[in-house]
Every structure is written in C-alpha cells, then in structure tokens.
Amino acid sequence: MKVKMLNSNRTGLVLAAVLVLLGGAPLVAGGGSKEKAPTNTSGTGQAIMVWPMPPEKPRVRFLEMFSNNYDIEPRKKLSLVDRMVGNTDPNKVESFQRASSAASDSKGRILITSAQNGTLYVLDKDRHQIMRIKGDRGIMFKTPLGLAVDSHDNIYVADPQLHMVMKFDSNGHLLATIGQNPTLQNPTLLALDEARRRIFVVDSHLHQVLVYNLDTLQTIATVGKRGTKNGEFNYPVGVGVNRAGYFAVTDTGSCSVEVFSPDFKFVRRFGGHGDRPGFFTRPKGVAFDSEGNIWVVDAAFNNVQIFDPKGTVLMFVGNFGKTPGAFNLPLGINIDAQDRVYVGDALNSRVQVFKFLGGDHPGSPRNP
C-alpha cells in the first residue's frame, strides 16, 4: 500500500492514495461532462472516467452530473414577435443551489434536494421535464436536506428547519409528516429498509437515530443518546442500511461510523479523527452498495471513502475541485438497486452520479 497526503489551502487535508484492493487514485477522463478534464479514450472513442488507475481493474465509473435546469429542459427560442417588441431572452438558468441529496425512482427520474432554493427537483430525462416541489397543503420547504424514495415512488424529505420529515407521492402531493411524537429537532439524512418496513431518521440535535414503521409512520425504536461510548452519538448526520438490515451511522463528533444490527444492537465502530485513509474529519452521508461495502462522504476531504463490511478502507473517489469526480462540500449519498451512486455536491451546486462496477463478490451482499 502506498499512501501520500496532500494539502489544500481551501479544504484542509485532502486524501490521496493508491490502495491495492479496490484502487485509489482516479483515472480522470471527461466522460459525460461539459467541463474539461484530462481524458482517456476507450476503443470505441468514448471518453471515460474510472477509479482506480490502470493497471488495476476499474471499480467505480463516473456517469453524469446535473447542475441546473438546462441539463434537462430545452431552451426556449425568442420568437420574431418578441424580438420586434424588444422582449428579453426567456431563458433563465436555475442552478440547484446547495444540492444536498439525490436519489432515483422506478421511472428513472432523478430527485434532488436543493437546500438553498427550498425545492425538491424531480428530473425526467426522457421527457426533458423538471417537476419542482416546494411543499404542499400549506407546508412549504425551508431547507430540504435528506432524501429517500421507496419502491412505490413515494418520496421522503427531511427538513431541519421544519423539524419534520415529509412524505409525498410520486406527483408531489403531501401524504403525511413525521416529527410530532416524539418531536424532531434537527432531522438530517434518511434511509429506508423496505424489507423490514422501516425508515431511519437521523436527528443531530437529539443525538439519536429514530426508526419508524414505514406503513404507519409510528416510532419503532430510538437508537443512541449523546455520549462517547459505543452506541452513543455526538451530532450524527448520515444513515445507511444494507439488505440484511444492518445500518451504519456517521457521527460528526467522534469522526467515526457506527454499525448496528437489525435488532438495534451496536456491532462495531470504525474511523476516527485523522487525515489518513480510513479516518475522517467531517463525515456526512453513508450508504451500502450491493456487496455490503460502506460508502462514506467526508465534507472536509471532499471525497467518498469506500470500506469493506468490517470497516477496512478499500479506496476513495474524489478530491477538491469543480471538474467531474471532484467535490466541494459533498453531503448526502444514495445508492440504488443497480449500484448507481448519487452524491450531493453542495457548494458546486450539483449532483454527481457514479456506477459501482463491483469488487470481489459482485451481487452478493455481505453482513457486517
């Protein structure tokens, strides 16, 4: 293993490593983006971006990114009449300011929470349309943050300033809210376990993970309390759950990830404060891929580290920047059933989409 640390004036320490099992440093290529980046061309002439570098086998590929409405919607043409009467260009760029989280639904639509715009964007690439959801029934978003979508395309959005989680149908109609009993203080990120009919909500001010029944939205359990012992939290932020029901929680205060069993028992902790691979400074979103690997966003390192189910670091993706594959204060992460990875790149005001290409045992989830 060869590890090298680099400094960044704007973000502090940025991880840079070449790790053998699943690689480390990226092969930077411009595929799918309008931004310029060093490119590598496949035999078909298509530019690609993969991690790790050759000769290692690629494990992660960059797919695409979305930063504003014109990545989806067609631009309107200024008519002859408009020109004659002096009307201005009807096109207005709508950036996805502070894009916090992203996910996909069964129709292939991509959903994005924009905390600064107070909007949930639903991107339909096939129809070149965007649905904008700002709330419903008199309850309007203030800072939509966490996001999850179930197999029926119901949408769950956590809003810290509203102190609630809102459930919408696929057309943006409000169906229910969560947060009254017990009262949520600062809900951040979310995760769903549909097999066990559970929704996990992290509340960073309660220092707990609250677990609700996905059908009744009634509380099933509360996990953790404020503290430094195993099973306790100090400003948790993210949560992810694997196919077997194990769930992982990022804890900002201890700069670690804690893993729990399906019956809410503490299993292990990994990470800790540091500037080397496998450690964290500002851990945020967390998610599991189909093989049980744990992906953890770090907003200070501006990357996503990938760990095996036991908490051993395998590789990372990203560094500070604006080019595809780089980040500026990433936050939420979701991984869908096809191992497409959606990362909210907040200060770049965009969402980046990657593909996990498989590790040692493709398609076979492993328990922590």
Side-chain angles (χ1 to χ4, degrees), residues 343-355:
V343 182
D345 189 6
L347 290 191
N348 280 329
S349 296
R350 66 187 183 186
V351 163
Q352 300 197 60
V353 186
F354 303 84
K355 171 75 173 179

Side-chain angles (χ1 to χ4, degrees), residues 43-212:
T44 63
Q46 183 179 5
I48 58 173
M49 180 189 297
V50 295
W51 292 260
M53 294 178 64
E56 299 294 333
K57 179 181 177 180
R59 307 294 185 173
V60 178
R61 183 173 74 240
F62 174 83
L63 295 181
E64 57 191 344
M65 65 185 184
F66 304 94
S67 59
N68 65 68
N69 55 319
Y70 293 121
D71 288 334
I72 299 294
E73 295 176 326
R75 289 182 177 272
K76 299 176 182 178
K77 295 182 178 180
L78 197 64
S79 69
L80 178 60
V81 174
D82 288 328
R83 296 177 188 275
M84 291 175 62
V85 300
N87 288 341
T88 58
D89 187 347
N91 297 293
K92 180 180 179 181
V93 176
E94 186 177 356
S95 298
F96 306 139
Q97 297 291 330
R98 295 190 71 91
S100 302
S101 297
S104 63
D105 66 11
S106 67
K107 303 180 182 69
R109 303 183 303 177
I110 295 175
L111 296 84
I112 301 171
T113 52
S114 170
Q116 185 167 322
N117 294 354
T119 304
L120 169 66
Y121 295 95
V122 183
L123 281 52
D124 191 326
K125 296 191 296 180
D126 294 335
R127 298 183 178 181
H128 304 287
Q129 296 176 348
I130 298 178
M131 178 169 61
R132 295 159 174 82
I133 303 173
K134 294 182 174 292
D136 193 26
R137 298 188 182 181
I139 305 176
M140 309 306 291
F141 289 133
K142 292 185 177 180
T143 52
L145 198 67
L147 175 65
V149 183
D150 68 25
S151 59
H152 298 289
D153 293 338
N154 294 309
I155 307 164
Y156 304 81
V157 180
D159 191 312
Q161 288 194 38
L162 289 178
H163 314 293
M164 69 172 61
V165 175
M166 303 171 71
K167 177 182 178 181
F168 299 88
D169 68 15
S170 61
N171 295 314
H173 302 302
L174 182 63
L175 300 176
T177 62
I178 303 173
Q180 292 76 36
N181 187 22
T183 302
L184 292 173
Q185 293 185 13
N186 198 67
T188 53
L189 301 181
L190 312 171
L192 301 181
D193 181 359
E194 291 198 70
R196 292 157 195 82
R197 310 307 298 163
R198 295 172 176 176
I199 177 170
F200 296 81
V201 181
V202 177
D203 192 309
S204 62
H205 289 180
L206 291 177
H207 308 281
Q208 291 179 325
V209 178
L210 294 95
V211 188
Y212 300 87

Side-chain angles (χ1 to χ4, degrees), residues 270-286:
F270 63 87
H273 186 263
D275 55 17
R276 305 188 308 277
F279 292 81
F280 306 106
T281 297
R282 294 177 67 186
K284 299 296 183 181
V286 58

